[in-house]
Amino acid sequence: MNRAITKLDLFKMMHRSFYIQAVWNFERLQNLGFLFTVVPMIKRLYPKGPARIEALQRHLEFFNTHPYTASFVVGVTTSMEEKMANQPGTVKPEDIRSIKAIMSGPLAAIGDAFFWASLRPFSALIGILMILTLDGNAKLIGPVFFLFFFNFFGLYIRFGGLAKGYMLGTGVVDILKKFDTQDLITVINLLGLIGLGVLLMLYAADFNLWQNIIFFSTLLMAYGLIRKKVYTNILIYGVLAWGVLLYYLNINF
Amino acid sequence: MLLTSVWISLVASIISLDVTACWQVMISRPIIIGPLIGWMCGDFIHGMIMGSILELIWINTLPLGASIPLDAAATTVVATATSIFLEQWWSGNESTTMVLGICYAMPLGTFIKKLDIFVRRFSNQLVYYADKYAKQDNLFMIQAMVILAILLIVLKYFLFYFISIYLGLYIFHLVVPQLPDYVLDGLGQARILLIALGLAMVWDTFRFRKVGKES
């Protein structure tokens, strides 16, 4: 008797992986979220009984990675569980445990560095540039661009990761090893700096000399304090107090 | 106003699930939720400006691993809603209302981080229940724990938003008429300096550094 994962199961798991962090907890992090994600797989492969209880407990163990790249782990785990259920002895439960642990660390690092620290700030910056340069209701293009541009990559990795992970099984690890985001991140950061330059020029062109002096000196001061790791809340109140002081001293800008 | 506040709190609390709990398709970022709340309060452009300023300032909030990120969504919702409501009864300039909204919402963004710790401790309990139901082979109840966690997060946000918006309006009624003109006008003028601060954050985000090394 061959129990095979259907396309519909994969699609259901894809949908459920959006809730992987719903029960984020301090003890085992995304464990219950992961189990929730793979429920369609467990239902398909294991009838009620001791094997299913074992599978449920196996996926309630500690798990933590980036919510987008987690889809790779879901895919690989599904393919291994399928093998284990159909050909007992080929895959051991320990193998599944260790592949989850081995993959989650590097995948979290890729996801954090690429999606959170690079692509999202970049998309937001371009969106804000559009808001500033467009007029009236056309400003709406800015937020819409941000949402679609960022999520194009995010959803691609989520859908593609699950499909690739399931099709290639443990072979996906070799692909991920070759996958180097460092160059991509460098390029995005460079484009981000260019975007910042354009934004600064737009502001500078709008200001008179006095406004420019105050704006750019504040920017430099703020940058110095950010590098010194001053809390953002303190910086915000500090900048506002500085603005009120300037106004009190009759320095209008 | 009461009905609008309930409506805003409800929509905002569902969208706030996107911060860490569900989806993570970035609908909770200031640049999206700002214009949306602005539109619901009747001033779309106001919300768009608020969203842009706050997005710049928090462009680099990273929800890394076990750390709880600063809740930019919560701050944006409270700042946008309170400043638009303030504008409806107070005849000061728009720029000042925006900065007052941000001033009020800022400490609340830190407060909700503290609330989040409670929710995550409670999630530990839910996981213990899930362990128990796993032993009983009860898939239905395991999934119910997940839904319960999501409902709890929505409830947390709903109460937070509703109380914060009302408290904010009350505080503004008390404080704003008492403030001297130079403070109010100075704050309005200082809005452009918040953008300077935001651009400094952008600079810090994209400056050259070794990848993989935080800070």
Side-chain angles (χ1 to χ4, degrees), chain B residues 91-144:
Chain B
S91 53
N93 76 47
E94 192 181 10
S95 187
T96 308
T97 60
M98 286 181 184
V99 175
L100 284 171
I102 293 175
C103 277
Y104 168 67
M106 206 63 55
L108 293 171
T110 316
F111 172 72
I112 197 155
K113 265 175 81 170
K114 299 245 154 67
L115 275 184
D116 222 33
I117 294 173
F118 282 109
V119 171
R120 287 175 178 207
R121 289 227 177 95
F122 187 77
S123 295
N124 279 347
Q125 292 300 317
L126 292 178
V127 170
Y128 295 145
Y129 284 122
D131 283 339
K132 208 180 78 191
Y133 291 125
K135 274 195 200 107
Q136 298 166 359
D137 203 357
N138 191 342
L139 263 180
F140 177 81
M141 284 309 286
I142 291 176
Q143 298 182 73

Side-chain angles (χ1 to χ4, degrees), chain A residues 129-150:
Chain A
L129 252 172
M130 289 174 167
I131 291 176
L132 272 174
T133 46
L134 297 168
D135 286 322
N137 284 340
K139 282 182 189 297
L140 196 60
I141 296 171
V144 171
F145 169 84
F146 165 73
L147 212 52
F148 279 81
F149 183 75
F150 179 81

